[in-house]
Amino acid sequence: MDTDTDTATGTGSWRLTHDLDDFLTRAGTFLRSRPALHTVPLTVTETLRTRGHSVYGDGEPEFGVLERAGEVRAAFFRTPPHWLNITALTSEDTDALAARLAALGRSLPGVNAESGTARAFAAAWQRHTGATAALRQRQRLYRLGTLTAPGPVPPGRPRVAVESDRERLRRWHDEFSESVGLGTVRHSAEWADARIGSGGITFWETPDGTPVAMAGTSPRVAGQVRVTTVYTPPHLRGRGYAGAATAEVSRAALAAGADEVLLFTDLSNPTSNGLYQRIGYRPVADFEVYDFTAESEGS
């Protein structure tokens, strides 16, 4: 483990490691203390634990824990080649983390965090590395209140995806990743196999049995489940299929015992934000994603 302490500024000790078990031993209680705000690190580390360290890419995952007076105050993870993901930080702690990673020669493609932390880290990274930072996406985290079925419900029914749906899942996963503009986080074939194995994708299909939309859920961790990968092919949109699929997976998550059902939206998409609020989702916090470009790359 690589450890950094900055007692001069009182920022505590950033402990860096590639050991997932060590990270969870140190940060697990902290992450579970606020499961909604920490839904991404909770679900990503659970996937790494159950599916292997290469599930998100070939690079070795890295983790960090900020400790002060024996108490965990923040954490981060990164699964190369993807963005750094940080829990909420003060501006001082954000600057200390950027300085530490820059001193170690880390190359970061960007950051994903609650809005204030993301902005502060992007600015600190520019100061310490000379890189430029550009806002890629603003997101909103929602929590389900009282589930309300969207109306009118389109003709058809929900169906959990099975092995014979593998090729469709793989193709729709790639199309979804392209449409949201955040790149492919997992290999589509591995993602499809994992979802089929867990029953984690539900289709909305027309009365003749044709799938027209899908919605998925993450594994339940610390009582929370996150709705993910809500997708309708472009030529089928505007007919209520995605809303019906989302309502069904939300209902199923509650029925299976989830304490909280969450989802993220792209704030630039008023249609999806309006839909989820009609179903019963309520805002929790805003997040931002920044891309970093090294000075030599941008010149």
Side-chain angles (χ1 to χ4, degrees):
M1 174 174 286
D2 185 3
T3 304
D4 175 62
T5 304
D6 189 349
T7 54
T9 61
T11 57
S13 172
W14 272 106
R15 299 178 179 273
L16 279 58
T17 184
H18 295 286
D19 186 326
L20 175 61
D21 291 336
D22 181 81
F23 172 72
L24 291 175
T25 296
R26 293 181 180 276
T29 299
F30 165 75
L31 294 175
R32 290 169 182 269
S33 70
R34 304 176 75 187
L37 290 175
H38 299 159
T39 177
V40 174
L42 283 167
T43 53
V44 167
T45 53
E46 178 65 9
T47 301
L48 291 169
R49 189 185 68 80
T50 58
R51 304 294 296 185
H53 288 195
S54 62
V55 66
Y56 293 107
D58 295 332
E60 185 177 18
E62 184 173 26
F63 313 95
V65 179
L66 175 63
E67 295 178 325
R68 182 181 298 121
E71 182 180 351
V72 174
R73 299 299 183 93
F76 78 79
F77 75 86
R78 184 177 170 233
T79 53
H82 307 295
W83 295 269
L84 181 73
N85 188 289
I86 320 171
T87 64
L89 287 171
T90 66
S91 58
E92 188 177 27
D93 291 331
T94 304
D95 188 79
L97 176 59
R100 177 62 177 156
L101 295 177
L104 290 170
R106 299 293 193 266
S107 177
L108 299 179
V111 65
N112 185 345
E114 285 186 71
S115 294
T117 297
R119 288 189 213 112
F121 187 88
W125 192 248
Q126 289 184 94
R127 287 195 302 273
H128 291 290
T129 68
T132 58
L135 178 65
R136 171 185 280 260
Q137 189 178 86
R138 296 176 61 237
Q139 302 174 340
R140 180 158 290 162
L141 174 66
Y142 287 89
R143 178 192 289 115
L144 181 62
T146 300
L147 180 63
T148 303
V153 177
R157 56 192 175 272
R159 176 176 66 80
V160 175
V162 296
E163 178 62 35
S164 59
D165 298 307
R166 185 177 187 272
E167 179 55 30
R168 185 189 302 273
L169 286 179
R170 187 200 63 73
R171 185 174 70 253
W172 280 12
H173 173 268
D174 286 345
E175 292 173 6
F176 167 81
S177 297
E178 183 176 354
S179 69
V180 299
L182 290 177
T184 301
V185 175
R186 294 172 66 177
H187 297 301
S188 58
E190 191 281 335
W191 175 88
D193 290 341
R195 287 295 191 263
I196 291 167
S198 66
I201 287 288
T202 294
F203 289 123
W204 190 264
E205 59 181 23
T206 56
D208 67 359
T210 302
V212 288
M214 70 175 179
T217 51
S218 66
R220 188 170 74 209
V221 185
Q224 58 85 31
V225 168
R226 190 169 75 256
V227 176
T228 65
T229 328
V230 179
Y231 179 70
T232 306
H235 68 286
L236 296 171
R237 292 174 186 169
R239 308 181 193 186
Y241 298 143
T246 301
E248 173 57 25
V249 297
S250 302
R251 181 204 63 77
L254 291 173
D259 299 323
E260 297 182 310
V261 184
L262 311 164
L263 57 78
F264 281 100
T265 65
D266 179 350
L267 280 173
S268 69
N269 186 335
T271 299
S272 63
N273 281 270
L275 166 65
Y276 296 135
Q277 291 182 69
R278 289 194 298 275
I279 291 174
Y281 283 89
R282 298 295 176 257
V284 176
D286 287 354
F287 288 69
E288 292 180 0
V289 182
Y290 286 85
D291 288 333
F292 299 152
T293 303
E295 190 172 18
S296 60
E297 296 175 19
S299 59

